[in-house]
Amino acid sequence: MDHPHAIWIKDPLAILAEGAERGIVVKNGRIVELVPRGGQPATAAAFFEAGDHVVVPGLINTHHHFYQTLTRALPAALDRELFPWLQALYPVWARLTPKNLELGVTVAMSELLLSGCTTTTDHHYVFPAGLEDAVDIEVAVAKRLGMRALLTRGSMNRSQRDGGLPPDSVVQDEDTILADSERVVAKHHQRGEDAMVQIALAPCSPFSVTTSLMRATADLASKLDVRLHTHLAETEDENKFCEQMHGCRPLDYLEQCGWLNARTWLAHGIFFNSDEIKRLGKAKTAISHCACSNQILASGCCPVCDMEEAGIGIGLGVDGSASNDGSNLMQEVRAAFLLQRARYGVGRVSHKDALRWATKGSAACVGRPELGEIEVGKVADLAMFKLDELRFSGHGDPLAALVLCGAHRADRVMVGGKWAVTDGAIPGLDVPDLIRRHSAAAHAMQVG
C-alpha cells in the first residue's frame, strides 16, 4: 500500500529518534513531522499501526561485491588470508556471465533489503569478456527492487604479467576503463536528494591497478563530480606490497595519486598509524568498516573509535559474500558492535554507536547527508523490525534488543516513502525460484 498522501507511522514500540515517541509522518518521500509523547500529528494522514515495530533509519551498506554471492564458502578459498584467497577465487570469477551476474546481484540486494538496508553500494571490478555491461545489469536490478544504490564502476588493469594478483582474463586496459566510467556516469548517475541510482569510480586496490589509472580516475571523478572508492590498508601484505612497488605506505601512495580528499571513502582501513588517522580526519575521507570479512580473513580490526575521535566518518559494509558469506547488514551491525566492544571496552562502544555507524555514519561514506537519520526534512528511508521471535523473548530495551539479541530480518522497509518490504517479504519476488536458479548458476560456475 503506497500512500501518495501523508502516512503516520503510529505509536512504534521504539524509534531511533528524539521526540518521536508517537511516531513520524511521511509525505512525498520525506519525513515531515515527528510526533512527540502525548502529541497528535498536525498533518492529516492515513496511519500505519507500528505498535509491534522498532523503527530505525534505513541501514546503509557502504562496501560490497554483489557477484560474490555465487562463490560463498568455496572449498578452494576456505582458511586462506586475503592474497591466497583472491588467487583461489579469481579463476572462478573469470567465468562470470551476464545472466549469472544478474542472479548474483538480485540475491545480494534482496538479502540486504530484507535485513533493513535501504541504500547499498557495490564494488564491481571483474570484467571478463562479455561482461562489459555489468554496471547496467546492476542498475536494472536496483530499479526492479526499489532500492537506493551507489554502484561503483570498479577496475583492474594490473594483472599477473605486470606483477599484480588478478589473471589477465579479468582485467581491462586504462582507456577502456576510463571510457566506460564516463559512459555509466552519463547514463545512470542521478543527482539531488531523491536520487535512487548513483555511480562512483572505484579502482580495485593498489595491487591490481596502475598508478596512471589511479591518477586518471581521480581526475575523472573530479571532472564528473562523483565519489571515489577503493580498498586500502586491509592487510599487512598490502603495506609490504606498496612499500616494494611504490616505495611508500598505502596512504602516502593514495595522496600522491590525488585521492586524499572528501570525495573518497575507503574499505577496511585496518593498518593506518596514528599520524595517518589524523591525515584522514583532516581530509574528511571516510572509512567503511567490514567487521565480518575482516574476522573471516583474519585481516585485523579497524580502529573505529580512534578514527571517530580524529573526525573520520565511519560506515559499515558487509563486504563481498565470498569473505563475509552473507549480505545481511543488520547482522553486520551486531558483528561490528561485538568486535569494537571487545577492542575498546564497555565505556566507548554501545549498541547505539553500532546503529549510528550503519545509518548516519554510512550516509557520510556515500555523500548523502539527507539519509541515515529520522529527522524532519530527511528522506523517508526506514527499517522496521518486529520483536516477536524466540530470540527476543524477555527483552527489556527494544532498540538494544535489535543489536544484542541479533535481529536479522526486517518486517517492513520503506524507501523514499514507498514500501519495498512488507510482512518480511519483497512484493513480487519468488524467493524459492531465485534460490533454485542462483544455486544452479553458482554450481556451474564453481565446477567450470
Side-chain angles (χ1 to χ4, degrees):
M1 54 177 188
D2 290 339
H3 291 271
H5 306 300
I7 175 171
W8 174 20
I9 294 171
K10 185 182 173 205
D11 295 326
L13 183 61
I15 186 165
L16 190 62
E18 297 294 322
E21 293 82 3
R22 294 215 66 202
I24 57 176
V25 181
V26 169
K27 188 174 183 180
N28 297 328
R30 297 284 167 141
I31 297 165
V32 295
E33 203 178 332
L34 306 186
V35 187
R37 185 178 281 110
Q40 290 285 334
T43 317
F47 60 82
F48 173 80
E49 281 290 358
D52 293 334
H53 292 88
V54 181
V55 182
V56 297
L59 308 181
I60 300 169
N61 177 40
T62 58
H63 187 61
H64 206 342
H65 310 289
F66 292 160
Y67 71 89
Q68 290 182 12
T69 61
L70 294 153
T71 50
R72 300 196 218 240
L74 191 73
L78 295 176
D79 306 324
R80 289 170 175 244
E81 291 184 2
L82 179 66
F83 280 18
W85 175 86
L86 281 168
Q87 284 160 338
L89 282 159
Y90 276 136
V92 184
W93 295 338
R95 296 195 279 268
L96 258 181
T97 63
K99 176 178 168 272
N100 288 7
L101 177 65
E102 197 260 348
L103 287 165
V105 170
T106 304
V107 163
M109 292 190 87
S110 300
E111 197 181 348
L112 282 165
L113 200 48
L114 290 166
S115 75
C117 176
T118 50
T119 299
T120 185
T121 61
D122 186 54
H123 188 184
H124 186 89
Y125 53 81
V126 179
F127 288 86
L131 199 61
E132 290 77 13
D133 292 339
V135 177
D136 308 80
I137 290 166
E138 295 193 325
V139 169
V141 176
K143 287 182 173 173
R144 195 165 72 237
L145 292 171
M147 193 174 190
R148 228 178 274 282
L150 172 57
L151 304 168
T152 75
R153 202 302 178 182
S155 55
M156 297 193 293
N157 74 330
R158 189 198 289 278
S159 65
Q160 285 164 347
R161 65 177 169 220
D162 309 311
L165 279 182
D168 300 341
S169 60
V170 294
V171 302
Q172 295 175 305
D173 65 75
E174 182 175 318
D175 290 345
T176 301
I177 289 163
L178 294 172
D180 194 57
S181 296
E182 200 148 3
R183 177 188 73 83
V184 294
V185 171
K187 186 174 180 186
H188 299 298
H189 185 70
Q190 299 170 357
R191 301 190 184 273
E193 294 193 340
D194 296 317
M196 290 296 291
V197 175
Q198 293 192 316
I199 305 293
L201 305 184
C204 184
S205 61
F207 47 84
S208 57
V209 300
T210 60
T211 303
S212 170
L213 180 61
M214 284 292 284
R215 288 184 173 143
T217 302
D219 291 344
L220 184 60
S222 178
K223 181 182 123 184
L224 301 177
D225 190 24
V226 295
R227 291 183 76 69
L228 283 165
H229 184 52
T230 192
H231 301 96
L232 207 75
E234 183 176 1
T235 65
E236 288 283 22
D237 286 347
E238 182 193 311
N239 278 359
K240 289 184 197 123
F241 180 94
C242 251
E243 280 162 359
Q244 285 166 6
M245 181 73 80
H246 305 297
C248 62
R249 286 172 60 83
L251 193 72
D252 298 319
Y253 177 65
L254 199 77
E255 188 165 28
Q256 289 165 22
C257 293
W259 276 63
L260 192 56
N261 55 54
R263 194 181 294 287
T264 300
W265 88 104
L266 303 169
H268 305 300
I270 296 167
F271 294 100
F272 291 126
N273 60 36
S274 56
D275 171 62
E276 290 167 338
I277 287 171
K278 287 193 189 89
R279 285 162 61 196
L280 285 160
K282 200 172 169 191
K284 294 284 177 255
T285 299
I287 301 287
S288 173
H289 173 39
C290 306
C292 289
S293 172
N294 294 164
Q295 289 174 93
I296 287 171
L297 294 175
S299 300
C301 176
C302 178
V304 163
C305 293
D306 301 86
M307 287 180 162
E308 287 202 307
E309 282 176 9
I312 299 170
I314 298 289
L316 295 189
V318 298
D319 201 1
S321 294
S323 60
N324 181 331
D325 295 302
S327 307
N328 188 309
L329 192 51
M330 195 63 224
Q331 294 274 283
E332 196 71 34
V333 171
R334 186 170 192 262
F337 165 75
L338 292 172
L339 186 64
Q340 298 301 331
R341 169 66 70 87
R343 179 175 183 138
Y344 287 107
V346 169
R348 289 180 74 184
V349 176
S350 79
H351 64 278
K352 285 193 176 175
D353 290 312
L355 287 167
R356 175 172 52 76
W357 298 330
T359 52
K360 188 181 178 183
S362 285
C365 287
V366 295
R368 302 288 299 269
E370 68 278 10
L371 307 178
E373 290 178 281
I374 296 175
E375 282 182 6
V376 171
K378 301 270 179 174
V379 173
D381 287 6
L382 305 166
M384 300 165 59
F385 294 85
K386 282 187 170 180
L387 302 184
D388 58 357
E389 296 171 67
L390 207 52
R391 71 181 72 219
F392 299 113
S393 185
H395 74 270
D397 181 316
L399 275 167
L402 286 185
V403 181
L404 301 176
C405 304
H408 71 284
R409 185 140 189 173
D411 181 65
R412 290 245 162 189
V413 176
M414 179 179 273
V415 183
K418 296 176 180 170
W419 294 117
V421 172
T422 56
D423 302 326
I426 296 167
L429 183 70
D430 184 341
V431 173
D433 178 63
L434 176 60
I435 292 170
R436 183 182 56 75
R437 290 185 296 127
H438 177 266
S439 298
H443 179 71
M445 219 172 99
Q446 289 170 24
V447 298

